[in-house]
Amino acid sequence: MKKINMKGMRKLSITATAMVAAAVMALAGCGSSNSSSSSSSSASTSGTKTSKFVLGGLWPETGSLAYLAPPELAAEKLAVKDINDAGGVLGNKITTVDADTSDADHADQNTSAAQSVLSKNPSFIIGPASSSVVKNTYKSITSQNIPMLSMGATSAGFSGLSDYFFRTVAPDTVQGAVMGNLIAQDGVQKLAIAVFNDEYGTGLRDTIAKTASEAGVNIVYGEKDTFDPTETNFSSIATAIKASNPDATLVIAFDQTKPLLKALASAGVDMHKLYFVDGNTSDYSSELDAGLLKGSKGTIPGVNPSDDFVKRLKSTGVDLKNTTTYGAETYDGIILAALAAQKGGSADGKTIQANMAAVSGSTKGEKCDSYKACVVLLKDGKEIQYKGQTSIGAFNDAHDPSSASIGVYKYDADNKPVFDHSQEGSVPKA
């Protein structure tokens, strides 16, 4: 769903103590798969040694999470450039093959995009960002011994999903705990929840509701109610929420958020006391009247990217559209995979999988903050601990980052989320 920019957004970093999994979101799609610089040489899925690293990318270029594609694609371009400028992997420049997965409402496109990338024999696949799309694609990828890493799938159920599945963002158990505590600390006594019927949505809702309830918050609407992800008319839902007389309303959705917010405003719901999550903590300056959301808050798993990193993402020529969400998580995921191949001496899937934890710091090696610096250490025979843009902890046994951040954002008078603070914590083992 670890980052949105607005210069302060990138998933509010209230780095939580247990958050990775489902941020990810289900994308809605209609486009056809497309590929960029594909390679025919590639790594063998059987574990045969090879020095040719082919990076596969699965992106939400269309559908309900299409706003996340620009920072992810920019991060891919930047990571590939940094790796190749530093001599590539095992002396060879890496190549890429990309496809548009769309969202979970387009399951056929999920699978066809995955097959399109798999046909190029990738060494490693970055994405998808959505938990629901991961669910529709991971078996076809991991069954071929190809490691994949999601930069945004935060579903709590994905911890230990497969030996070949990794993520650079914490599970939703972390974001949910942070959000639930935030709501309670803000003094909310009666909370309404509008959530779509999606694995990401309901899973996150359950964690937030449990945490908030245990802190004394009464859930007056939405503890069991959901709406269909394809819903377009939210008047009845907004009316029901207004009738429940809440102090605040939590909205868990993707693009459905825009028409839902308009319905809530029309129904007379207090728009200054809304809470958003990583799937919809977004810029609504062009959608809503100025000041409508001022004071509302949102959370985003992941780090708030530095100004320098954002500047570098922009230098790729990709229009970020005021969003940097999951850019850092995408970048670090690619760098980690390249380092794993470099450490293992081969760009095949089995070698990369076997070395991902080590280069992330599980062997407590020497810290390094760039691909170039880390490769120097590896060539000297040293163990490394890559500390890049996300500063996540080493992968644990469930292949979640052992520590991560969750950012908290507050909406300004222009209806833009501005980074407020972050908190870091450890991610519980599965």
Side-chain angles (χ1 to χ4, degrees):
M1 43 251 183
K2 172 221 82 96
K3 313 170 164 201
I4 246 181
N5 195 27
M6 307 356 329
K7 243 184 168 185
M9 218 201 96
R10 191 4 329 170
K11 277 48 189 113
L12 54 116
S13 252
I14 196 179
T15 204
T17 162
M19 130 238 168
V20 161
V24 196
M25 339 189 197
L27 314 160
C30 31
S32 58
S33 323
N34 59 63
S35 60
S36 73
S37 81
S38 67
S39 165
S40 56
S41 70
S42 21
S44 166
T45 59
S46 66
T48 302
K49 300 294 183 181
T50 176
S51 61
K52 303 295 185 180
F53 190 111
V54 178
L55 171 65
L58 295 175
W59 317 106
E61 296 182 66
T62 56
S64 58
L65 283 181
Y67 77 93
L68 292 176
E72 293 168 2
L73 288 165
E76 179 194 39
K77 286 179 176 291
L78 182 60
V80 169
K81 180 180 186 301
D82 287 349
I83 292 167
N84 287 340
D85 284 353
V89 175
L90 303 171
N92 294 294
K93 290 190 174 183
I94 70 174
T95 55
T96 62
V97 54
D98 300 316
D100 173 19
T101 55
S102 187
D103 59 30
D105 287 332
H106 296 77
D108 288 347
Q109 188 166 335
N110 298 170
T111 55
S112 65
Q115 290 304 316
S116 173
V117 169
L118 287 171
S119 70
K120 303 299 182 181
N121 300 314
S123 306
F124 167 83
I125 290 178
I126 183 76
S130 159
S131 294
S132 294
V133 180
V134 166
K135 189 174 182 179
N136 291 340
T137 57
Y138 85 93
K139 287 183 179 178
S140 65
I141 297 170
T142 59
S143 64
Q144 296 190 39
N145 296 331
I146 297 174
M148 64 187 294
L149 182 147
S150 177
M151 69 295 280
T154 55
S155 171
F158 286 177
S159 295
L161 181 66
S162 164
D163 287 345
Y164 282 78
F165 177 78
F166 298 81
R167 54 185 168 185
T168 46
V169 64
D172 278 330
T173 46
V174 178
Q175 181 182 190
V178 169
M179 176 57 83
N181 286 322
L182 177 65
I183 290 170
Q185 290 165 7
D186 284 348
V188 175
Q189 295 183 331
K190 296 185 294 182
L191 177 70
I193 304 174
V195 56
F196 61 168
N197 189 13
D198 170 271
E199 181 174 359
Y200 158 75
T202 56
L204 185 53
R205 183 270 311 273
D206 291 347
T207 300
I208 295 172
K210 181 177 184 294
T211 304
S213 295
E214 290 176 347
V217 178
N218 182 27
I219 311 300
V220 296
Y221 176 88
E223 193 164 17
K224 298 298 180 184
D225 307 275
T226 61
F227 62 83
D228 192 289
T230 61
E231 183 62 70
T232 57
N233 187 338
F234 295 94
S235 59
S236 62
I237 294 173
T239 299
I241 289 176
K242 175 62 177 178
S244 69
N245 193 30
D247 296 331
T249 302
L250 166 67
V251 180
I252 304 177
F254 296 146
D255 267 3
Q256 306 89 341
T257 302
K258 296 174 184 178
L260 175 55
L261 290 178
K262 293 177 181 179
L264 290 173
S266 296
V269 173
D270 189 345
M271 304 297 284
H272 302 299
K273 294 183 179 180
L274 299 181
Y275 291 89
F276 301 87
V277 291
D278 59 314
N280 59 1
T281 297
S282 189
D283 180 351
Y284 297 103
S285 58
S286 63
E287 306 289 337
L288 304 171
D289 293 338
L292 188 63
L293 299 181
K294 185 177 181 181
S296 288
K297 297 178 180 180
T299 53
I300 300 177
V303 69
N304 183 50
S306 67
D307 289 345
D308 179 65
F309 183 66
V310 173
K311 188 177 300 183
R312 297 192 69 218
L313 287 178
K314 291 179 178 178
S315 73
T316 64
V318 176
D319 181 0
L320 299 181
K321 300 185 184 300
N322 294 320
T323 298
T324 57
T325 302
Y326 298 136
E329 286 77 13
T330 301
Y331 179 89
D332 279 358
I334 296 170
I335 297 296
L336 283 165
L339 289 172
Q342 187 72 40
K343 175 178 171 56
S346 176
D348 68 274
K350 286 187 175 181
T351 298
I352 293 172
Q353 186 276 343
N355 289 279
M356 286 286 283
V359 297
S360 74
S362 67
T363 56
K364 303 188 183 304
E366 189 170 336
K367 291 182 180 180
C368 46
D369 62 5
S370 69
Y371 179 78
K372 183 177 182 179
C374 289
V375 167
V376 170
L377 295 175
L378 288 174
K379 289 181 176 179
D380 285 342
K382 297 179 180 178
E383 292 294 307
I384 65 168
Q385 182 176 173
Y386 172 66
K387 287 293 184 182
Q389 298 302 315
T390 59
S391 294
I392 58 173
F395 290 122
N396 60 24
D397 291 343
H399 293 173
D400 291 335
S402 54
S403 64
S405 297
I406 296 207
V408 175
Y409 296 78
K410 183 177 290 187
Y411 277 84
D412 64 13
D414 293 323
N415 299 322
K416 294 181 179 181
V418 178
F419 177 73
D420 186 66
H421 66 281
S422 67
Q423 180 176 321
E424 186 174 348
S426 60
V427 177
K429 293 183 179 180

